[in-house]
Amino acid sequence: NVKNSLVTIGANKEDLSKNEYIEGNVTGIIIQESGRILTNYSVIKDLEEVYVNLSLINSEVLKADIFFINEDNDLAVLQVNSKKALTPIKIASKDNIVEGENILLISNSTSDDYIDNVVPGIITSTNRQLDVNNNKYSLFEVNTPINKFNTGGIISNLNGEVIGIASKKVSDSMNVEGLYYAIDLSSLENVIDDTSELKEILGILEGEFIQVDNGGIYGGLYVTRVDKKGESYKAGLRPTDIIFEIDGKKINSITEVLSMVKNKENGDTVICKVMRAGDVIDMDIVLSNIKK
């Protein structure tokens, strides 16, 4: 059920063509048919370029772009453009996840056809949290060993539905001997849903939230495509711009900014600071599509 949804991610085409583990390879998970792939940010953050092997028979290695990062909970979303039909993973309903449930950690860091490794285990707790920079992220505690070979892999129930994503970085930071931690996908889904709603209010057709990192890169809403008939376009917003501040508030959390914007009315104006090719531009953008 999951074999077509797993990929291998690495630093170059040659290594991904060897069908063996190369230091730094990591598993990725197809989450959207359009080519969105989820993985651990900690493994790819220092790569100059990122490549993906779809792990299908006779599949070519594709260059990937990074569209979403959150260093706090070790998640990154990549984008690849493939001529092949992609199969997104199925996500388990959180309501049906319980302690003691049998799970499988399934990974592919070797560019094998479909799957490289399967490790069985159980969920030991559904009530763990990662607290970073005053943000809390839900975790699943498992007894399935998570290491550099299978980090980024899926924690799956026996129906092939994903419960969480294995993270060696998060497991190491929790520092509990004999137990390991998977990132609850609902935290990512919430960010994606909030980002989509904020884009609609601002009149942005395509774009992603980029989390600020320790390198000083501006975090915020990266704009891919703007509605040419919308107020944002009239205000001067263009593709590749990054909105990093709204009404004096840095965009470190999409949820906080969305809550602030939704307290306004349709037709109200917000003052946005936008990064464009190293320059900061002020824009007054009129809001619309606010749903109370």
Side-chain angles (χ1 to χ4, degrees):
N1 290 339
V2 305
K3 64 182 183 181
N4 290 324
S5 300
L6 299 185
V7 305
T8 306
I9 299 168
N12 59 69
K13 288 185 176 183
E14 291 72 23
D15 286 348
L16 288 176
S17 300
K18 294 178 180 178
N19 297 114
E20 62 184 50
Y21 177 76
I22 304 296
E23 189 72 29
N25 279 8
V26 64
T27 303
I29 306 161
I30 298 171
I31 56 173
Q32 291 182 5
E33 292 180 3
S34 60
R36 297 290 165 86
I37 295 171
L38 182 65
T39 191
N40 293 152
Y41 176 60
S42 58
V43 183
I44 67 166
K45 64 177 293 186
D46 294 325
L47 301 185
E48 292 184 6
E49 294 184 322
V50 182
Y51 290 89
V52 172
N53 187 330
L54 296 177
S55 305
L56 304 173
I57 294 175
N58 298 323
S59 178
E60 63 177 325
V61 177
L62 303 174
K63 189 174 185 301
D65 295 314
I66 299 176
F67 275 101
F68 168 88
I69 61 173
N70 188 329
E71 189 164 18
D72 289 350
N73 67 347
D74 197 29
L75 290 180
V77 176
L78 310 178
Q79 172 72 52
V80 297
N81 296 314
S82 172
K83 296 179 181 178
K84 296 179 181 290
L86 300 184
T87 304
I89 205 83
K90 292 182 179 179
I91 299 175
S93 170
K94 191 169 183 178
D95 295 337
N96 297 328
I97 301 171
V98 296
E99 286 84 355
E101 180 177 358
N102 290 315
I103 56 166
L104 301 170
L105 198 174
I106 308 174
S107 62
N108 189 358
S109 59
T110 64
S111 294
D112 197 1
D113 293 335
Y114 304 129
I115 286 174
D116 168 55
N117 199 9
V118 180
V119 183
I122 63 169
I123 297 174
T124 56
S125 176
T126 61
N127 188 30
R128 296 290 184 263
Q129 286 188 328
L130 177 68
D131 192 344
V132 184
N133 296 327
N134 297 318
N135 292 316
K136 296 183 184 297
Y137 302 96
S138 297
L139 303 175
F140 293 110
E141 185 181 82
V142 298
N143 68 344
T144 310
I146 298 174
N147 51 45
K148 67 178 183 178
F149 302 106
N150 61 24
T151 189
I154 62 171
I155 304 296
S156 167
N157 63 22
L158 299 188
N159 295 322
E161 298 168 328
V162 176
I163 292 170
I165 301 173
S167 172
K168 181 179 185 300
K169 176 190 174 185
V170 171
S171 294
D172 289 346
S173 69
M174 296 295 284
N175 194 29
V176 179
E177 185 175 355
L179 293 172
Y180 305 86
Y181 295 87
I183 304 157
D184 179 4
L185 278 185
S186 64
S187 59
L188 177 69
E189 288 182 320
N190 291 340
V191 171
I192 291 175
D193 289 344
D194 289 346
T195 303
S196 297
E197 189 172 359
L198 184 61
K199 286 189 298 185
E200 186 175 358
I201 292 172
L202 293 174
I204 298 170
L205 297 178
E206 291 183 20
E208 301 296 333
F209 175 56
I210 302 176
Q211 183 81 16
V212 66
D213 68 16
N214 292 331
I217 298 173
Y218 275 92
L221 189 58
Y222 178 86
V223 179
T224 308
R225 193 158 61 97
V226 187
D227 182 0
K228 291 186 177 181
K229 297 179 181 179
E231 296 295 334
S232 290
Y233 190 85
K234 294 177 184 177
L237 195 67
R238 296 294 184 266
T240 72
D241 287 348
I242 301 174
I243 301 175
F244 67 91
E245 185 177 301
I246 295 179
D247 281 351
K249 184 175 182 59
K250 297 284 187 183
I251 302 183
N252 294 322
S253 167
I254 284 290
T255 302
E256 290 180 6
V257 175
L258 178 62
S259 177
M260 176 185 70
V261 170
K262 289 184 71 174
N263 284 328
K264 297 182 179 293
E265 302 294 332
N266 288 312
D268 286 350
T269 299
V270 291
I271 302 172
C272 300
K273 286 192 179 296
V274 175
M275 177 63 65
R276 178 184 296 168
D279 297 324
V280 176
I281 303 170
D282 290 328
M283 293 183 190
D284 295 345
I285 298 178
V286 177
L287 305 179
S288 60
N289 299 311
I290 299 175
K291 300 178 179 64
K292 298 294 185 178

